[in-house]
Amino acid sequence: MSKQRLNTLIADAKTPAAHRRIAQFYEAKAEDYRAQSVEHEVMVAAYQANSILSNEKNRASTVGHCEYFVKTFKEMAVKSQELATLHEQMAKDAEQK
Protein backbone atom coordinates (compact mmCIF):
# COMPACT_ATOMS: atom_id res chain seq x y z
CA MET A 1 0.00 0.00 0.00
CA SER A 2 1.34 3.43 -0.88
CA LYS A 3 1.81 6.07 1.80
CA GLN A 4 -0.79 8.22 0.08
CA ARG A 5 -3.33 5.37 0.11
CA LEU A 6 -2.56 4.62 3.76
CA ASN A 7 -3.02 8.28 4.73
CA THR A 8 -6.33 8.43 2.84
CA LEU A 9 -7.49 5.22 4.50
CA ILE A 10 -6.51 6.55 7.94
CA ALA A 11 -8.27 9.88 7.33
CA ASP A 12 -11.47 8.17 6.15
CA ALA A 13 -11.53 5.08 8.42
CA LYS A 14 -14.94 4.72 10.00
CA THR A 15 -15.78 1.06 9.42
CA PRO A 16 -14.42 -2.07 11.06
CA ALA A 17 -13.13 -3.22 7.66
CA ALA A 18 -11.16 -0.02 7.15
CA HIS A 19 -9.56 -0.26 10.58
CA ARG A 20 -8.75 -3.93 10.03
CA ARG A 21 -7.08 -3.06 6.71
CA ILE A 22 -4.93 -0.48 8.50
CA ALA A 23 -4.16 -2.99 11.26
CA GLN A 24 -3.07 -5.53 8.63
CA PHE A 25 -0.75 -2.95 7.10
CA TYR A 26 0.89 -2.25 10.46
CA GLU A 27 1.11 -5.96 11.31
CA ALA A 28 2.96 -6.52 8.03
CA LYS A 29 5.28 -3.60 8.75
CA ALA A 30 6.01 -4.98 12.23
CA GLU A 31 6.87 -8.38 10.76
CA ASP A 32 9.13 -6.78 8.16
CA TYR A 33 10.90 -4.73 10.83
CA ARG A 34 11.41 -7.84 12.97
CA ALA A 35 12.91 -9.65 9.96
CA GLN A 36 15.26 -6.75 9.25
CA SER A 37 16.33 -6.74 12.89
CA VAL A 38 17.19 -10.44 12.68
CA GLU A 39 19.14 -9.86 9.45
CA HIS A 40 21.22 -7.23 11.19
CA GLU A 41 21.78 -9.49 14.21
CA VAL A 42 23.19 -12.09 11.81
CA MET A 43 25.41 -9.42 10.26
CA VAL A 44 26.70 -8.42 13.71
CA ALA A 45 27.79 -12.02 14.29
CA ALA A 46 29.33 -12.22 10.83
CA TYR A 47 31.36 -9.03 11.32
CA GLN A 48 32.50 -10.19 14.73
CA ALA A 49 33.61 -13.52 13.27
CA ASN A 50 35.49 -11.98 10.35
CA SER A 51 39.19 -12.24 11.17
CA ILE A 52 40.06 -9.99 8.20
CA LEU A 53 38.59 -7.05 10.10
CA SER A 54 41.62 -6.87 12.33
CA ASN A 55 41.41 -3.09 12.50
CA GLU A 56 39.35 -2.47 15.64
CA LYS A 57 38.06 0.85 14.28
CA ASN A 58 36.60 -0.89 11.21
CA ARG A 59 35.18 -3.75 13.28
CA ALA A 60 33.62 -1.35 15.79
CA SER A 61 32.18 0.77 13.01
CA THR A 62 30.58 -2.12 11.12
CA VAL A 63 29.32 -3.88 14.24
CA GLY A 64 28.06 -0.60 15.68
CA HIS A 65 26.24 0.18 12.45
CA CYS A 66 24.43 -3.16 12.52
CA GLU A 67 23.68 -2.97 16.25
CA TYR A 68 22.09 0.42 15.68
CA PHE A 69 19.76 -1.09 13.08
CA VAL A 70 18.96 -4.09 15.28
CA LYS A 71 17.75 -1.70 17.99
CA THR A 72 16.00 0.66 15.57
CA PHE A 73 14.13 -2.08 13.71
CA LYS A 74 13.05 -3.72 16.98
CA GLU A 75 11.68 -0.38 18.21
CA MET A 76 9.90 0.22 14.91
CA ALA A 77 8.37 -3.27 15.10
CA VAL A 78 7.01 -2.55 18.57
CA LYS A 79 5.53 0.78 17.48
CA SER A 80 3.97 -0.74 14.36
CA GLN A 81 2.48 -3.57 16.42
CA GLU A 82 1.04 -1.00 18.83
CA LEU A 83 -0.65 0.78 15.91
CA ALA A 84 -2.00 -2.52 14.60
CA THR A 85 -3.45 -3.32 18.03
CA LEU A 86 -4.95 0.15 18.28
CA HIS A 87 -6.69 -0.20 14.91
CA GLU A 88 -7.96 -3.66 15.83
CA GLN A 89 -9.57 -2.06 18.88
CA MET A 90 -10.99 0.72 16.71
CA ALA A 91 -12.51 -1.96 14.45
CA LYS A 92 -14.16 -3.62 17.46
CA ASP A 93 -15.41 -0.26 18.70
CA ALA A 94 -16.87 0.55 15.26
CA GLU A 95 -18.72 -2.80 15.26
CA GLN A 96 -20.50 -1.83 18.46
CA LYS A 97 -21.87 1.40 17.03
Side-chain angles (χ1 to χ4, degrees):
M1 176 183 319
S2 72
K3 288 180 184 179
Q4 182 178 1
R5 174 71 182 121
L6 176 64
N7 288 334
T8 299
L9 190 57
I10 289 170
D12 295 338
K14 293 175 182 61
T15 66
H19 285 292
R20 285 197 179 91
R21 178 66 187 106
I22 296 166
Q24 289 171 346
F25 171 83
Y26 284 118
E27 293 252 353
K29 291 300 278 184
E31 184 60 33
D32 181 55
Y33 292 143
R34 284 189 288 271
Q36 290 185 61
S37 174
V38 169
E39 287 176 22
H40 281 83
E41 286 175 337
V42 170
M43 291 181 356
V44 166
Y47 278 121
Q48 288 173 335
N50 187 337
S51 62
I52 300 278
L53 291 174
S54 59
N55 180 330
E56 277 304 311
K57 182 179 178 185
N58 288 342
R59 184 183 307 264
S61 180
T62 54
V63 169
H65 170 88
C66 291
E67 288 174 337
Y68 167 81
F69 282 109
V70 167
K71 180 180 181 231
T72 299
F73 284 125
K74 283 182 178 181
E75 289 171 355
M76 291 169 66
V78 167
K79 295 297 183 188
S80 292
Q81 190 62 56
E82 288 172 355
L83 284 169
T85 301
L86 180 62
H87 279 281
E88 282 293 338
Q89 185 58 52
M90 289 178 191
K92 289 177 186 174
D93 292 346
E95 286 176 338
Q96 295 173 359
K97 289 185 179 181

